[in-house]
Amino acid sequence: MTSTAELAADRAAPAAGAWLHGVVRDADPAALAAIPGMDGAPVRTVSAAGLVAVVSTAPLDEYGEQPLRRNLEDLAWLERAARTHHAVVEALARQGPVVPARLATVHTDDSRVAESLAARRAELVATLDRLTGRGEWGVKGYLVPGAAAASAAAVGGGGVGTAYLRRRRAQLTAREEGQQAASAAAEAVHASLCELAVAGRRHAPQDRRLSGVATPMVLNGAYLLDLAALPAFTDLVRALSDRHPEIRLELTGPWPAYSFVAERPEPALTVREPW
């Protein structure tokens, strides 16, 4: 017989959902035991339809729809959640192909996760097949202030005021021409990289406060590569850097293939079923 105290404890315990990190073909239990999830405990798996979803236990008093909506407006909470989620996805990607889930994808229980795997099996298997033996690399390009501004130092006649106006006009013209040249170089670099990559995407340039670089970003590219093509891709980035001195290129990766996983249209925030 269940005691009154046990019933009270059951009523007090918050319902737990499942925060989805990603889907894989299989997972090593020993490796998962070393990966902390959203609640600090090791991540766990939900298996169905020959696939494995890696999830964190997510108490719905913190990760349910209304609490989650409030928490996502808390930048400190959001940063911690994003870092934890990304760390799990990165750990999975080191073991093999993974279909990463969008941040804050929470199912109300494990059965909903299993239903989602079954419903999307064909799509998920096709994506995992596409990502096998491949990885995502990023190439960022930053404007390099050019020597064109040197012409702004020339001062003609007409007095100090006229000289200042001429110098200022030349500076603005040089800056505009430099930005146009950098934009054209970014287009050319992206096109060249896409020829070697399986697929490529251009994301919006990051704000300087996010990039941490003083000069503007003109290229924020993501490229899906066969692992065997990485040396040639790295050489190409170096060659393009020499060919286009208007921009400084930075190669990063490998990353989980966030940029090459199809996303269905959906609200920005969810406690979701199905996924």
Side-chain angles (χ1 to χ4, degrees):
M1 180 179 295
T2 303
S3 69
T4 302
E6 289 171 332
L7 288 172
D10 288 343
R11 285 195 296 269
W19 175 297
L20 180 64
H21 295 287
V23 175
V24 296
R25 289 195 180 93
D26 51 53
D28 177 7
L32 294 183
I35 304 173
M38 305 305 297
D39 59 347
V43 294
R44 55 189 180 80
T45 61
V46 177
S47 299
L51 295 169
V52 177
V54 178
V55 304
S56 289
T57 298
L60 296 182
D61 60 346
E62 181 177 1
Y63 297 101
E65 185 165 358
Q66 292 306 317
L68 191 58
R69 192 179 299 277
R70 291 191 299 269
N71 285 331
L72 289 175
E73 295 176 354
D74 179 340
L75 293 182
W77 187 97
L78 179 60
E79 182 177 4
R80 287 194 301 272
R83 287 183 182 277
T84 301
H85 174 72
H86 182 62
V88 174
V89 176
E90 278 196 315
L92 296 175
R94 287 193 291 270
Q95 299 173 33
V98 54
V99 180
R102 182 178 295 185
L103 183 70
T105 300
V106 181
H107 293 271
T108 52
D109 56 41
D110 287 5
S111 67
R112 298 292 189 178
V113 179
E115 290 173 11
S116 170
L117 292 178
R120 296 186 63 190
R121 184 182 187 283
E123 173 191 344
L124 292 167
V125 168
T127 301
L128 288 168
D129 287 345
R130 184 170 184 249
L131 298 180
T132 298
R134 292 170 175 166
E136 177 175 327
W137 271 262
V139 176
K140 292 179 169 57
Y142 301 93
L143 183 147
V144 175
S151 64
V155 179
V160 175
T162 301
Y164 169 78
L165 292 175
R166 286 176 175 170
R167 186 165 58 248
R168 182 60 177 158
R169 186 180 301 117
Q171 289 172 342
L172 294 174
T173 299
R175 181 181 304 170
E176 181 179 351
E177 290 176 349
Q179 290 173 342
Q180 291 175 348
S183 295
E187 291 281 356
V189 166
H190 179 66
S192 295
L193 295 176
C194 284
E195 291 180 3
L196 186 56
V198 175
R201 288 188 62 183
R202 286 189 72 173
H203 298 296
Q206 292 178 329
D207 184 272
R208 298 182 202 185
R209 290 170 294 182
L210 292 176
S211 70
V213 178
T215 54
M217 181 185 293
V218 294
L219 174 64
N220 187 11
Y223 305 91
L224 185 66
L225 297 179
D226 287 323
L227 299 183
L230 180 58
F233 190 82
T234 302
D235 290 343
L236 179 58
V237 171
R238 291 197 194 99
L240 291 170
S241 294
D242 294 338
R243 193 181 308 164
H244 299 283
E246 306 91 341
I247 56 177
R248 178 177 65 82
L249 299 180
E250 178 182 280
L251 175 64
T252 65
W255 304 105
Y258 289 105
S259 300
F260 303 99
V261 174
E263 288 283 0
R264 294 179 175 182
E266 59 174 338
L269 163 69
T270 58
V271 174
R272 295 169 52 181
E273 66 277 303
W275 173 32

